[in-house]
């Protein structure tokens, strides 16, 4: 009445299980590395998708700063391997809700905006139609980037 299935090839079974586990691990890693769609600014979720430079200026405005316009726009590549400086920079970004890890080795635009109220600037990295990093920096020698989102 009941038929039992005998596994004739233990190697094939182990290989199938190993493939399934690898597939599962890759799926989990891909979900973890997904870039954020929004960040929290003053208890409000703000979207990171952009279509124009005006969208970037509006994002900076939601972070409490006004800018006079873009003073620099250049193509960059997020490095595949990071030294301690870039790791520290990503720690600053992660504290704000960004994460550059999914963009390692990918092209991006670095846009710099002059602040209206001081001699500082806001730097924004954009890739895949979204803001992937942002910081604010005073225009003095040795100044370190600070989080744009407080």
């Amino acid at each position: 009445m009941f038929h039992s299935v005998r596994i004739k090839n233990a190697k094939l079974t182990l290989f199938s299980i190993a493939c399934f586990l690898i597939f599962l691990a890759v799926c989990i890693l891909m979900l973890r590395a997904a870039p954020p769609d929004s960040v929290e600014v003053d208890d409000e979720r703000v979207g990171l998708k952009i279509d124009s430079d005006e969208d970037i200026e509006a994002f900076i405005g939601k972070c409490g700063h006004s800018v006079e316009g873009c003073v620099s726009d250049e193509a960059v590549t997020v490095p595949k391997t990071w030294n301690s400086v870039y790791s520290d920079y990503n720690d600053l970004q992660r504290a704000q809700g960004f994460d550059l890890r999914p963009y390692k080795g990918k092209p991006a635009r670095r846009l710099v905006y002059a602040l209206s109220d001081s001699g500082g600037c806001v730097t924004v990295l954009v890739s895949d139609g979204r803001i992937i990093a942002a910081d604010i920096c005073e225009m003095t020698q040795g100044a370190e980037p600070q989080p744009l989102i407080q």
Side-chain angles (χ1 to χ4, degrees):
M1 208 159 167
F2 292 101
H3 295 286
S4 63
V5 177
R6 285 182 42 199
I7 299 173
K8 294 182 181 182
N9 193 339
K11 287 182 182 179
L12 179 60
T13 302
L14 289 175
F15 178 75
S16 298
I17 291 171
C19 287
F20 174 75
L21 292 175
I22 290 171
F23 173 76
L24 186 64
V26 168
C27 289
I28 290 170
L29 288 174
M30 287 178 67
L31 289 174
R32 277 190 64 223
D37 291 329
S38 63
V39 291
E40 191 167 320
V41 178
D42 295 329
D43 298 324
E44 177 186 340
R45 296 303 295 177
V46 177
L48 298 175
K49 288 204 150 290
I50 57 145
D51 292 320
S52 66
D53 289 343
E54 289 79 23
D55 292 342
I56 298 171
E57 291 182 24
F59 174 79
I60 295 169
K62 289 179 182 177
C63 294
H65 301 281
S66 60
V67 292
E68 295 177 356
C70 185
V71 295
S72 175
D73 182 348
E74 65 180 316
V76 296
T77 301
V78 178
K80 280 186 180 182
T81 56
W82 293 352
N83 59 18
S84 63
V85 172
Y86 224 96
S87 292
D88 291 345
Y89 183 72
N90 194 50
D91 289 343
L92 178 136
Q93 297 306 323
R94 291 182 67 198
Q96 300 181 99
F98 298 108
D99 190 356
L100 290 170
R101 290 179 298 181
Y103 296 96
K104 283 185 171 185
K106 292 188 177 180
R109 284 173 56 206
R110 179 175 41 220
L111 298 110
V112 179
Y113 293 83
L115 287 169
S116 300
D117 54 351
S118 71
C121 65
V122 173
T123 301
V124 178
L125 289 180
V126 175
S127 184
D128 297 334
R130 73 176 64 228
I131 297 170
I132 63 170
D135 65 78
I136 191 167
C137 193
E138 295 300 319
M139 299 301 285
T140 58
Q141 186 173 357
E144 294 287 327
Q146 300 298 315
L148 177 65
I149 302 169
Q150 298 294 327

